[in-house]
Amino acid sequence: MSDPPRSDGTDAAAEATQPVPAVDGPGRIRWLLHWTLPGCWGAVLFAALSFTPSLLPRGGFVQGLVCGITAAIGYGLGVLAAWLWRAFADREARVPTRSSWRVFLLVAAVLLVVSFALGQYWQHEIRALMGVTEYNVALVVASPVVAVFFFALFLLTGRGIRWVYRRVAHLLARVFGRRAAAATGWVLVSVAVGFLVSGVLLDGLVTAMDEAFSVRNGITEEGVTQPSTGLRSGGPGSLVPWDSLGREGRTFAGSGPTASDIATIVHHPAEEPIRIYAGLDSAADAEQRAALAVDDLQRAGGFQRANLLVLTTTGSGWVDPALVAPFEYLGGGDAATVAIQYSYLPSWLSFLVDQTKAREAGRALFDAVYERWSTLPANQRPKLFVGGESLGTFGGETAFSGEYDLRNRTAGTVFAGPPNFNTLFRDFSDHRDPGSPEIQPVYKNGRTVRFATDAGSSLPPAAQPWEGTRVLYLMHPSDPIVWWTPHLLLTEPDWIGEAAGKDVLPQMFWMPFVTFWQVSADLPFSTGVPPGHGHKYTTEYVDGWYAVMRPSGFTPADLTALRSAISALG
């Protein structure tokens, strides 16, 4: 057996204290490829922990990505821990012996094989909980290769940054003292890396994505045609041109249940619902788009309907048909919905970079509607509802200061899959009644705001009355959008220590750094699971709107038929 790579015991933390001469040529290559034993122990331990379950089932590529990133973090922490130990012990680094490396290789092989096997078992259990049948064996087999690639990529990137620091510090040492050169070098390199990542790479990515999706915004989905009724934006007499609605706006205005569809469920003649929308190309900014949408809403007779829904869209302007259709069915078609677009970007990217636009759009639209609504005689106003999904809940919340504001200015609210950073959602959850779990909190004894993991079964506290305005948050236990937060890096949230939700494995537990990357990896795939799990909300809206609107005349059989109709929407 060839000898494992040897190390002189140096590491990033130790070398940060003083600049050393730059290494060039073959020596630099050897330096880039050397390993420290403490770092390797950290990498293997964290790689093994990465196979523990998170919220959603992971495919082979995602598991490899999580494993590689987590192993790189573990390597760095192992190196740091060794440096701290030597600092307290006041001794120099020692060169590991061959036997130390052999013990490591044996333990690492056993630990990784066992962890991989347990990981596959846990993934099978999660798929069974959610009814996921897809399983790509080839990607699972390839996952170790993916892990090694990303581990090497991040490790070499870190060493490359350190090499740049050493070069800078070496040059500065000609002018300053060694300590000053080392400190100044770290500051300069850190600022440069931060600027490169956030100011160049991220901004460049966002700009490129924005341009790409602005082109996609001009597409009209197959089967979507311009409305022939004035009850829809883009139709005859509309103040909003059809071409300005954007891809999602045209889909929203050109689809939805008809009066006959609704009559089939409610068993009596129904009206045609009103749908109003203003796209990014309809007006210059959020305030002007909101004003245009309200004018078009008034033109179409939206303020004369019994029920009016103000909806904040997700990033690209998407309106979930499963969110709006139940509102229209349960209102017997005597309903109007208004929404505006604020971004070209898809929801997951808007989630990261377009929060300000969502906030502006949500506030501008509700304020514009409320201003026009409040001028009507009290006995002629429609019931005013608010709705949103994902980033749309963030925008929808920003129009309100708290529970009393929601109660006083709306007839009801349905928010689904709220991001963890939502101001009101966090306030309600953080100040929940003692003894209630974070996974389904109870706020102020449920007098206005309630939370549901399964709106069809319970809305605790069941024994307490729910009078007046009802505000309902729908949130799946397995929805990473709801539970992801940067605090997962170093802080264990309450929900992980509580009894697991219906579609979350009890074996999930919190680990510093590891859990953060696991849940982060779940985010892009949050809707790639069957309805009722992750960030996929469909028939839950039927029960949610039924609880909030409290319509009369609906039997359990009617609700079952409505769930079937909504389930068919996708």
Side-chain angles (χ1 to χ4, degrees):
M1 177 186 297
S2 61
D3 289 344
R6 297 185 62 116
S7 168
D8 59 2
T10 59
D11 53 57
E15 290 172 356
T17 62
Q18 58 180 2
V20 296
V23 180
D24 294 302
R28 182 171 66 190
I29 301 299
R30 289 194 297 270
W31 171 72
L32 285 173
L33 297 179
H34 87 276
W35 314 100
T36 67
L37 184 59
C40 289
W41 276 112
V44 168
L45 177 60
F46 270 60
L49 291 174
S50 73
F51 289 100
T52 57
S54 60
L55 295 173
L56 300 178
R58 294 194 293 265
F61 179 84
V62 177
Q63 179 59 66
L65 174 64
V66 172
C67 183
I69 294 176
T70 307
I73 293 172
Y75 186 91
L77 292 176
V79 169
L80 177 61
W83 176 76
L84 291 173
W85 170 256
R86 290 196 303 273
F88 281 103
D90 194 22
R91 68 170 178 81
E92 296 299 321
R94 298 171 183 173
V95 178
T97 63
R98 290 185 179 183
S99 60
S100 297
W101 279 107
R102 286 169 180 156
V103 169
F104 163 75
L105 292 175
L106 177 62
V107 174
V110 173
L111 184 59
L112 290 176
V113 169
V114 171
S115 300
F116 182 84
L118 284 174
Q120 294 310 303
Y121 167 75
W122 285 323
Q123 291 302 309
H124 170 75
E125 292 294 296
I126 296 176
R127 290 195 300 271
L129 281 177
M130 299 186 179
V132 176
T133 57
E134 182 179 354
Y135 183 71
N136 192 315
V137 178
L139 285 179
V140 172
V141 174
S143 62
V145 177
V146 175
V148 170
F149 171 80
F150 281 103
F151 171 73
L153 176 64
F154 280 91
L155 189 63
L156 293 177
T157 299
R159 287 181 173 176
I161 293 172
R162 187 177 66 177
W163 178 83
V164 172
Y165 149 72
R166 293 172 67 180
R167 296 284 295 185
V168 172
H170 179 66
L171 294 173
L172 291 175
R174 300 175 182 177
V175 181
F176 307 123
R178 292 174 66 85
R179 292 181 183 275
T184 305
W186 270 119
V187 171
L188 290 176
V189 172
S190 298
V191 170
V193 171
F195 174 76
L196 180 65
V197 173
S198 62
V200 178
L201 294 181
L202 184 59
D203 287 351
L205 174 64
V206 171
T207 300
M209 294 286 284
D210 195 59
E211 292 178 357
F213 281 97
S214 66
V215 174
R216 188 169 181 260
N217 191 60
I219 298 173
T220 300
E221 287 286 351
E222 185 177 354
V224 174
T225 58
Q226 185 172 0
S228 57
T229 171
L231 300 178
R232 305 292 178 94
S233 288
S238 173
L239 304 178
V240 187
W242 172 252
D243 291 340
S244 76
L245 293 179
R247 175 175 176 267
E248 302 298 349
R250 287 189 289 273
T251 300
F252 172 67
S255 61
T258 63
S260 60
D261 294 331
I262 296 172
T264 301
I265 299 293
V266 301
H267 307 300
H268 61 71
E271 295 188 59
E272 192 84 14
I274 294 174
R275 291 190 171 191
I276 302 299
Y277 192 98
L280 278 173
D281 297 332
S282 301
D285 56 35
E287 189 172 325
Q288 294 181 41
R289 286 191 293 274
L292 177 62
V294 170
D295 287 342
D296 205 35
L297 178 69
Q298 185 165 21
R299 173 205 60 80
F303 288 102
Q304 283 71 56
R305 292 300 175 98
N307 304 289
L308 173 57
L309 172 61
V310 181
L311 189 70
T312 305
T313 66
T314 61
S316 61
W318 181 64
V319 176
D320 189 346
L323 168 59
V324 179
F327 175 81
E328 296 169 332
Y329 273 103
L330 293 170
D334 194 5
T337 302
V338 58
I340 63 174
Q341 183 185 17
Y342 55 84
S343 176
Y344 294 125
L345 300 177
S347 187
W348 66 270
L349 193 54
S350 296
F351 179 79
L352 298 175
V353 301
D354 264 355
Q355 296 179 22
T356 299
K357 293 181 180 179
R359 181 187 296 113
E360 292 173 350
R363 184 183 295 122
L365 181 58
F366 183 83
D367 287 350
V369 171
Y370 187 79
E371 181 181 25
R372 194 74 55 90
W373 176 89
S374 61
T375 63
L376 301 173
N379 62 349
Q380 296 179 20
R381 297 171 181 168
K383 293 180 180 179
L384 188 57
F385 295 89
V386 175
E389 178 180 339
S390 192
L391 196 58
T393 70
F394 173 76
E397 278 190 1
T398 58
F400 305 95
S401 59
E403 175 200 14
Y404 283 113
D405 200 17
L406 280 163
R407 186 180 187 91
N408 293 334
R409 295 206 290 161
T410 73
T413 299
V414 172
F415 285 146
N420 198 267
F421 55 72
N422 278 22
T423 302
L424 295 187
F425 171 67
R426 279 267 44 97
D427 183 63
F428 298 148
S429 182
D430 291 343
H431 296 89
R432 61 188 180 273
D433 295 350
S436 68
E438 185 178 19
I439 194 173
Q440 192 171 20
V442 174
Y443 179 77
K444 301 293 185 182
N445 213 22
R447 63 188 183 189
T448 301
V449 180
R450 298 200 179 186
F451 301 81
T453 58
D454 183 0
S457 61
S458 64
L459 299 173
Q464 299 299 322
W466 199 10
E467 304 295 340
T469 295
R470 295 184 174 188
V471 177
L472 179 62
Y473 284 88
L474 303 174
M475 42 196 239
H476 295 148
S478 59
D479 187 349
I481 300 293
V482 175
W483 307 118
W484 182 90
T485 168
H487 299 302
L488 282 172
L489 270 170
L490 298 172
T491 305
E492 179 180 4
D494 292 342
W495 61 269
I496 289 186
E498 298 166 354
K502 63 178 182 177
D503 56 356
V504 176
L505 283 188
Q507 291 89 340
M508 183 178 180
F509 62 96
W510 176 81
M511 296 164 285
F513 299 103
V514 177
T515 301
F516 171 80
W517 288 114
Q518 288 180 322
V519 178
S520 296
D522 288 335
L523 291 174
F525 308 98
S526 58
T527 59
V529 291
H533 305 285
H535 200 57
K536 195 73 171 288
Y537 297 86
T538 51
T539 57
E540 296 91 331
Y541 287 119
V542 174
D543 299 300
W545 279 120
Y546 182 74
V548 168
M549 296 176 71
R550 289 167 282 183
S552 59
F554 281 84
T555 66
D558 294 334
L559 294 177
T560 299
L562 180 52
R563 291 189 197 99
S564 298
I566 300 304
S567 180
L569 296 177

